Amino acid sequence: MKVALFIPCYIDQFYPKVGIATLQLLEKMGCEVVFPQNQTCCGQPMANSGYEHITGDCTKLFQDNFDEYDYVVSPSGSCTLHVKEHIPLKGRIYELIEFITDILKVESLEGEFKHKVGLHQSCHGQRGLHLSQMSELNAPFFSKPEQLLKNLKGLDLITLDRKDECCGFGGTFCVAEEAVSVRMGQDRLGDHLKNGTEILTGGDTSCLMHLEGIIRREKHAMKVMHIAEILNQAIS
Amino acid sequence: MKTHSEAAEVFNKDFDRTTWHDQTLFMVRQKRDKAAFQIDDWELLRETASQIKNNVLSNMHNYLLQFEENASNNGIKIHWAADAKEHNEIVYGIISDYYRGEIPVDTFKGMVKSKSMLTEECHMNEFLAEKGIEVIDTDLGERIVQLAEEPPSHIVMPCIHWKKEEIGELFHKHLGTEKGNKDPQYLTEAARQHLRDKFLTRPIALTGVNFAVAETGEFVVCTNEGNADMGAHLADVHIASMGFEKIIPQKKHLGVFLRLLARSATGQPITTYSSHFKKPRDGQQMHIVIVDNGRSTQLGREDFRNSLKCIRCAACFNTCPVYRRSGGHSYHSAVAGPIGSILAPNLDMRANADLPFASTLCGSCSNVCPVKIDIHQQLYKWRQVLVQEGYTSMSKTLAMKGMSTVLSNPSVFKFSGKVGRMLMDKLPFLVNNNMNPWYKQREMPEPPEESFRDWYKKNKK
Amino acid sequence: MSSRENILSKIKQNQPELLPLPDLSVLGSEKYDLVEKFTEILEGIGGKVLQVSDIEEIKNYIISNYPINARVISTLPAFSDNRDWQTADPHSLKDAEFLIIKGQFAVAENGAIWLTESEIGQRVAPFITQYLAIIIEKSSILPTMHQAYEEIGSIDYGFGVFLAGPSKTADIEQSLVLGAHGARGLVVFLV
Ligand code: SF4
């Protein structure tokens, strides 16, 4: 299966290892992965700030890069949601985890990862893309990321007090509402610390970048890994 | 006036109090979950309520006429107010008529009022105070904030930001309770005695309206304390103020809304009292003031009209991670929280341009909303409107345009300097401010050796 | 144009195209043990529920649990012949200690009891009294609010109330306190 990789701008620039893990993981699962070289950004940072009307060029560029592919995959729930809602494509875009569970039909993964892992559900991945059931609804439980993590040998998935509260990143919110944003991040981390998370993971690098910024400032021992990195490492 | 983010920054200075505020409200959210999950049909109930309200919005004109006719036949006098000012004048007119134009100068004139967010929206208390008429808020929480000369910070729990020690102090000062006594039981009893005296001596009572039934001309008021009833059944004049969107088609629809309202609000199966006022009692006057105040404009905004479906349960407040950590007053609007942030810009875009940005768009609000208002989508859409109408700063616009240019131009993007540097300059969350607010309490990401695209070129192409 | 005409014409112009009302018949299919559910819910919200076999039992309970020399009012001849309070100035009920009445019906899912003027005598009575007792026939308990509104149907009243438990507030730091402004206690006698 041929897959075009969409690597959001901040992953490209700050977290190349997430892109690499995504690419390698997909290859291990038998996909032929390409990276259209002229891609930049989906336009979400502008749109969420109220500037959707100036994202036309970004949209056009995105389409030029990705229109020829049936499957576009991205290791970011947030960017994937934006593309789904705002950029019409000939093919379809999938967030990495949903691509693995829904298109590659992977029920569970064999592998090993001997750590206490805390999963941060990004709101756009969860409430936007429905990667897992939302705590507000009276509806049956499911979780696509948990489905992939839970069978890994040695992996201890931490149960949180608040299993799907927002971390406070929120795009420009993280600077426009700096005080609340940081406080939300501290509280999310507090929940993970209290319940014993050693490695914090999730499907959205933007949330993780914000949380990691606080972890490093406050000098917590907790490590941060994108879920693609964990899966890629576990099944090798 | 402070913007939401400025006020929130002040709020967050007290770390422990913010913790307490967040946890208290999250507990209410959990009570809501527990109550909601006991109803197997919960999601169906929400969907049904949403559809009823959609029908109401689409047939508002006829329902209002039907309501007016039926209520009038029941002996209720209907008034129409285009805006806040007219609402207040109508209320004043009713009081003045009651006293035949000669409002006496004694302490027993005036009115007891049960919770009505609409009168907060209209600033009615201040208006009447200027005319020499005292309004006594009778909901305990509202009385507390009234004594403290503050607006409510939450539409269901008006003094949720107050600690019992502080309430004890306030009551000591105003009601003469023992100094240092902060026992909620004791303080509530003191308020009961204090307000019983007001109920028994004030001839005019004002209540809000939770639902007005077009089919029968009756209206329903929900309270736990019984203050609406104590006021209304003792007073010679009962005035009920309602935004026109409170209308519902038929009595049987109350079944749907009463199942949802209290469970969503506090996790109770129903409020203690759901009072159906249909006719004035013998010798009593009953008035309803139907208020527009921007609602008909909102009804015409396709993207935002759904906000008028709101039944004011405040579930969206309690679940909102931003509200819980910034407090109701930071929203500088009678209705705070997520719903307030999509209602307020309709009334005044300039004054409320900050509110749709006081959200991470996490979407939890839309999920708890019993009438399924797409609150977070409307927050997003208000952002677009506010930017296009010119209510954002020039520097932000320039930054956004600069970013858009870079991001839509691959050659600039790829070669704009050392890895990481370009984004540190251009990413929205890292610009906008001389003193980078990201860095205040967070480390910057560490720029790696090479970007993903450089790695890809080396290793894959 | 008056405000009325202005508002109505603006609404007419701005309201969206007509959308249909949903079907309510799919709701309210919950199956409860009605007495058990009603009791559990009402006790959960601060009410007291007693199963009794006759009026004597109720009388005995009241005598042994409430100050009988305080003012007791009732709309039920078995408890009081005095009717005058029903037409008196409502303010005159300010010293009412105990009101005993019979409810039309009750709702299992939320512990609510439907009362109208005919049951309560005076609108203010169940609120102003310090304590309230309501007799409910077990056979009149309905599962949900949907059946409740069917039961009410188009029967006319001037005032009606769903009353669920004693008056309460949690406005001070979310601590539940009974007896905010209305009755401090509610006892329901199931017959
Ligand atoms: S918007 Fe929805 S959740 Fe918020 S107060 Fe209104 S009805 Fe409740």
Side-chain angles (χ1 to χ4, degrees), chain A residues 109-173:
Chain A
L109 284 174
E110 302 275 311
E112 188 177 86
F113 194 78
K114 288 187 176 159
H115 295 282
K116 289 186 173 173
V117 174
L119 176 64
H120 174 67
Q121 313 252 25
S122 92
C123 301
H124 285 168
Q126 187 196 22
R127 297 194 184 84
L129 296 172
H130 296 191
L131 297 184
S132 51
Q133 190 52 273
M134 301 160 271
S135 65
E136 299 90 359
L137 301 187
N138 186 354
F141 172 83
F142 71 90
S143 166
K144 294 174 189 179
E146 275 189 45
Q147 181 188 330
L148 297 183
L149 289 172
K150 69 167 189 258
N151 282 349
L152 296 179
K153 227 183 284 160
L155 188 146
D156 182 359
L157 198 59
I158 296 300
T159 306
L160 296 167
D161 295 354
R162 299 188 191 177
K163 58 184 175 177
D164 55 8
E165 177 137 311
C166 176
C167 68
F169 172 69
T172 37
F173 180 88

Side-chain angles (χ1 to χ4, degrees), chain B residues 155 310-316 339 369-371 373 375:
Chain B
I155 56 175
C310 175
I311 59 172
R312 300 288 191 273
C313 72
C316 59
I339 181 68
C369 178
V371 288
I373 300 172
I375 307 170

Side-chain angles (χ1 to χ4, degrees), chain A residues 8 10-12 14-19 22 75-78 122 169 202-212 224-227 229, chain B residues 438:
Chain A
Y10 57 91
I11 296 185
D12 176 49
F14 292 124
Y15 296 96
K17 58 186 180 175
V18 174
T22 303
S76 159
S78 185
S122 92
F169 172 69
D204 253 293
T205 306
S206 46
C207 307
L208 297 178
M209 174 170 72
H210 159 69
L211 292 170
E212 189 179 52
V224 179
M225 286 174 83
H226 189 278
I227 191 166
E229 296 178 88
Chain B
W438 174 279

Side-chain angles (χ1 to χ4, degrees), chain C residues 110-162:
Chain C
N110 56 20
I113 294 168
W114 177 245
L115 304 164
T116 68
E117 285 151 320
S118 15
E119 290 82 38
I120 58 183
Q122 269 260 20
R123 290 186 185 187
V124 80
F127 305 95
I128 202 168
T129 182
Q130 299 291 335
Y131 294 92
L132 175 63
I134 305 178
I135 301 171
I136 288 289
E137 281 173 26
K138 281 185 206 165
S139 60
S140 77
I141 304 177
L142 304 168
T144 75
M145 291 300 280
H146 306 295
Q147 289 84 8
Y149 278 103
E150 253 167 54
E151 180 73 21
I152 296 172
S154 53
I155 299 170
D156 197 26
Y157 48 80
F159 172 75
V161 59
F162 277 106

Side-chain angles (χ1 to χ4, degrees), chain C residues 8-189:
Chain C
L8 285 167
S9 80
K10 206 166 158 200
I11 288 173
K12 193 167 190 175
Q13 194 188 325
N14 283 352
Q15 71 190 16
E17 237 174 84
L18 188 66
L19 289 164
L21 275 168
D23 173 19
L24 300 195
S25 67
V26 291
L27 291 163
S29 60
E30 285 86 349
K31 300 270 174 289
Y32 299 128
D33 176 325
L34 296 172
V35 171
E36 192 186 310
K37 182 83 181 170
F38 174 77
T39 306
E40 173 205 323
I41 296 286
L42 187 56
E43 296 200 325
I45 53 180
K48 193 171 174 58
V49 182
L50 295 168
Q51 302 215 24
V52 292
S53 40
D54 56 24
I55 295 283
E56 284 315 305
E57 214 180 319
I58 299 176
K59 281 185 176 162
N60 289 336
Y61 181 85
I62 295 171
I63 291 166
S64 46
N65 286 280
Y66 293 92
I68 36 165
N69 44 1
R71 185 172 179 197
V72 176
I73 51 175
S74 180
T75 50
L76 308 171
F79 295 90
S80 167
D81 296 330
N82 184 338
R83 303 262 104 128
D84 298 346
W85 65 271
Q86 297 185 31
T87 46
D89 176 352
H91 296 82
S92 68
L93 297 179
K94 66 181 179 203
D95 59 350
E97 179 72 16
F98 192 79
L99 168 68
I100 176 156
I101 53 179
K102 189 161 185 279
Q104 271 190 25
F105 63 85
V107 184
E109 68 158 325
N110 56 20
I113 294 168
W114 177 245
L115 304 164
T116 68
E117 285 151 320
S118 15
E119 290 82 38
I120 58 183
Q122 269 260 20
R123 290 186 185 187
V124 80
F127 305 95
I128 202 168
T129 182
Q130 299 291 335
Y131 294 92
L132 175 63
I134 305 178
I135 301 171
I136 288 289
E137 281 173 26
K138 281 185 206 165
S139 60
S140 77
I141 304 177
L142 304 168
T144 75
M145 291 300 280
H146 306 295
Q147 289 84 8
Y149 278 103
E150 253 167 54
E151 180 73 21
I152 296 172
S154 53
I155 299 170
D156 197 26
Y157 48 80
F159 172 75
V161 59
F162 277 106
L163 184 149
S167 157
K168 61 174 82 66
T169 182
D171 274 344
I172 302 179
E173 277 201 25
Q174 284 296 292
S175 333
L176 182 68
V177 178
L178 300 184
H181 301 300
R184 298 170 187 275
L186 169 70
V187 53
V188 172
F189 298 104

